[in-house]
Amino acid sequence: MPRNNRGVPQVLWEPSSEWQAKTHVARFMRWAAARHNRTFEDHEDLWKWSVDELETFWADVWDYFEIRASAPYEQVLESRTMPGARWFPGARLNYAEHVFRDRDPDQLAIVHASEDQPLREVTFGELESGTARLATALRELGVKRGDRVAAFMTNTPEAVMALMAVLSLGAVWTSCSPDLGARSVIDRIGQVEPKLLIAVDGYRYRGTPFDRLDVVGQLQAAVPSLQHTVLLPQLTDAPNLGGLSSTVLWDDALDRPAEPIEFEQVPFDHPIWVVYSSGTTGRPKAIVHGHGGMLLEHMKNSHLQVDLHPGDRAFWFTTTGWVVWNIMVSYLFTGAAILTYDGSPAHHGPDTLWRLAAEAKLTYMGTSPTYIAGSMAAGLEPGRDHDLSAARALGSSGAPLPPAGFRWLYEHVNADAWVSSTTGGTDVCAALAGGCPIRPVYAGEIQARGLGISLETWDPQGRPIVGEVGELVVTKPTPSMPLGFWNDDDGSRYREAYFDEFPGIWRQGDWSEVTESGAVIVHGRSDSMINRHGVRIGTGEIYNVVLDFPEIADALVVDVPSGETSSWMPLFVVPAGDAEIDDGLRARIVERLRHDCSPRHVPNDIIAVDAIPRTLTGKVLEVPVKRILAGEPAEKVVSRSSTANPESLEFFVELAHTRNRKTST
């Protein structure tokens, strides 16, 4: 973090008293203070109260946002034991109902953009009408409470309608971006046995059409639970359905009068959706979130932490397969409109999203550190070249935003904007720490821990530390924690994922620091995952493809930060027998990865090595290798005594030295 000569943190932005007074969190603070006959000195004081008086805080969230429930809750929290905390037992409610309640049908809900089409506006009335008609069609196709519905859709208003229709029925949503390969999609949705698939016939990216009807057919053949498919044409008005079974076109499904939506009332802990982790081995873990937990968390986040209001226009660059999409859709709770974008962030040049922000008059723009770094590297001047005066807030998520990224946003985009970074993700479908509109902004810092989130940083002995780097943990339950994993009846995989390191304590897997002021600095993941342009892939999925080549005996892939403006994704492979890793084989590997995984996860280099470093128990040493290649001394990131083949590390140490020498010259 930048500091002046006196060692005092430099403020990049500070909210005015007028700004603060209008924020949702300031209003909530005044409301809670009056309700409990107490005072709050500042946001940090409010946060401490929210985690000390956990049950009181979440009951206040319920009342402040006037949660509608057909049956009341019996108590807020049965026990603070983790895992297994049960929130608001007895309550019956519906997430989607809160999107449409008390809405003016003429109020703007969605602005849609794609690579080559003009902006399209959808009102709340149009969104509700489409949702109602699709919900009726799904019900007639046999979808009922508890059934799983899989989506293979691009980021469009129709995807939002599909989500709302599924949730209104009490069914369970699960989604994959259509740029994933068939194997990756099957590995995900096949686990939850969906009854129905909602899919597109294809998509366009950088001006190129990608027909996905063959993948839809593969999904139908490989997932036997699928009984019906609703197909949304995007490449042609009349797709050839000859290779598909039990498929109805979107327009035919919606060709009916719109009737009032019947919102199925479900228990607070009823599953709402299944999202997928990007684990390092095996199939992605299917994480189940709860209906009521998501409702409360998203109500709190969209109002108190993101501070959206009616009239705002908010956007995150994301795909439908990333939980940032779910979170963006929840912004509709505030009466703000959201922007859905289908396409490449660089189709018309590296400033595509900045141009889009100006065109759509976005007031809140969220993107990734990768896009910001790319804008920096391209020498863009978005604030000079586009009218971004409406963008009062800029957000970053998906990875830590480096200090240079913060400074660049203020110097080259909007000097008056509130810039916030967040951390959380798929595990909780929420921000564990994120923006706070009533606190100053410092480069490299996440402003505040989420209200009601008992976030701390612990050392290896399980002791809380401040001002030092350690494991990010959550010491008390939150409603946004998963119900568990799909097909994990005894909860063993769930406990192993989050609670084994510190029994009874949630370990997020981030190397982080909590500052004296209560801000959070994230230094990266303590496990492995590759996130490029909003598409997240576990290394295990890449290995599944690469190790299918008979010429490859072993492999390791990492995504290494390169300065503050880019990353380098090398794939290291061990040849099998006398096989040669030549350009022809490299080209075939690239093509398979592009097709089976994602075009965005093609490695920058494919490098032959003699051996892949592994632990004594056989696990690939991805994180240590990544840190070595990033320039850290090997002795600080890995214990050779715990490495099955410590000699294999020498190649990566030498490669790091070679790269550093080239960079320095």
Side-chain angles (χ1 to χ4, degrees), residues 115-139:
E115 289 186 344
D116 298 302
Q117 296 297 318
L119 294 178
R120 170 164 64 105
E121 295 187 348
V122 178
T123 65
F124 271 98
E126 291 167 333
L127 178 62
E128 185 169 6
S129 174
T131 297
R133 288 179 285 145
L134 181 58
T136 300
L138 297 182
R139 189 180 292 109

Side-chain angles (χ1 to χ4, degrees), residues 58-79:
W58 286 106
D60 280 359
V61 169
W62 181 290
D63 292 342
Y64 185 78
F65 293 112
E66 299 177 341
I67 299 300
R68 288 185 181 177
S70 60
Y73 62 83
E74 297 158 4
Q75 62 184 115
V76 174
L77 179 61
E78 287 186 344
S79 168

Side-chain angles (χ1 to χ4, degrees), residues 196-209:
L196 185 138
L197 174 69
I198 306 176
V200 294
D201 64 337
Y203 66 94
R204 289 179 175 83
Y205 195 81
R206 293 188 176 179
T208 301

Side-chain angles (χ1 to χ4, degrees), residues 150-152 174-192 197 212 215 218-219 222-223 274-279 282-286 321 530 535-546 591-601:
F152 187 61
T174 194
S175 177
C176 292
S177 173
D179 58 1
L180 287 180
R183 175 186 293 181
S184 292
V185 179
I186 293 165
D187 281 350
R188 287 166 166 79
I189 70 171
Q191 298 183 61
V192 303
L197 174 69
R212 307 302 275 166
V215 176
Q218 291 177 57
L219 299 182
V223 183
V274 178
V275 295
Y276 303 95
S277 73
S278 297
R283 292 188 301 175
K285 293 187 289 291
I530 295 177
V535 178
R536 294 154 41 103
I537 289 288
T539 53
E541 297 178 74
I542 294 175
Y543 299 148
N544 286 344
V545 172
V546 175
E591 183 56 31
R592 280 281 303 280
L593 287 171
R594 189 187 304 277
H595 180 269
D596 285 359
C597 290
S598 159
R600 308 182 200 186
H601 290 80

